[in-house]
Amino acid sequence: MVILAPLGAEITTGLGLNHSQMRGELGAWQRVYIGSAIPLGILSDRVGVRRGLIIAFTMIIIFVILRAKAEIYWSLFMAMAVLGSGGPLVSVGEPKTIGLWFKRRTRSMVMGIYMTSPILGFMAKLSLN
């Protein structure tokens, strides 16, 4: 979800997008995420954490494949929408998994690592890019 911003100029040129279309691409996953968060949270409760995360990671793999094959605005938009539909399952499933796997004493440390890791990874990616 964060790789498009630093590569925005190359993607815009490569797909022949204007700036408005690129903004639409960058915001596509959030719009789908917001709309699907509650229903997918309910689905995660019904199918269980493990199956919910398997579905989520499958959606993310599909997103990566679709994003790599995107050649026009709508194909990239649909790829980003797939990412947005897998995101709520990850957002619900990972903290639930931490709650199930770790004892009360270590849970706060693990949640701290879980919450700070994406930020540190994003900073490292931008620094190396």
Side-chain angles (χ1 to χ4, degrees):
M1 73 183 168
V2 294
I3 193 68
L4 287 181
L7 300 174
E10 288 83 8
I11 293 170
T12 302
T13 304
L15 296 179
L17 305 176
N18 62 39
H19 292 292
S20 295
Q21 289 174 317
M22 192 60 194
R23 283 191 296 274
E25 297 294 350
L26 293 173
W29 74 269
Q30 293 100 327
R31 289 192 292 274
V32 174
Y33 183 104
I34 290 168
S36 64
I38 292 174
L40 289 175
I42 294 168
L43 174 71
S44 178
D45 286 340
R46 289 198 178 150
V47 300
V49 177
R50 178 174 290 185
R51 284 191 184 131
L53 286 174
I54 290 170
I55 294 168
F57 295 139
T58 302
M59 304 274 299
I60 292 168
I61 290 168
I62 292 168
F63 154 71
V64 170
I65 293 167
L66 291 176
R67 184 182 63 182
K69 295 186 177 285
E71 295 182 5
I72 60 172
Y73 171 78
W74 288 108
S75 59
L76 184 59
F77 186 87
M78 292 308 294
M80 297 303 290
V82 169
L83 175 66
S85 61
L89 292 170
V90 173
S91 296
V92 170
E94 288 180 343
K96 275 181 149 179
T97 302
I98 290 170
L100 294 171
W101 285 6
F102 294 94
K103 296 186 187 310
R104 185 176 213 97
R105 282 187 15 191
T106 57
R107 196 175 301 150
S108 59
M109 180 187 68
V110 173
M111 278 303 290
I113 292 169
Y114 166 73
M115 295 301 292
T116 56
S117 294
I119 296 165
L120 295 174
F122 180 62
M123 290 173 19
K125 179 193 67 73
L126 287 178
S127 299
L128 295 171
N129 197 3

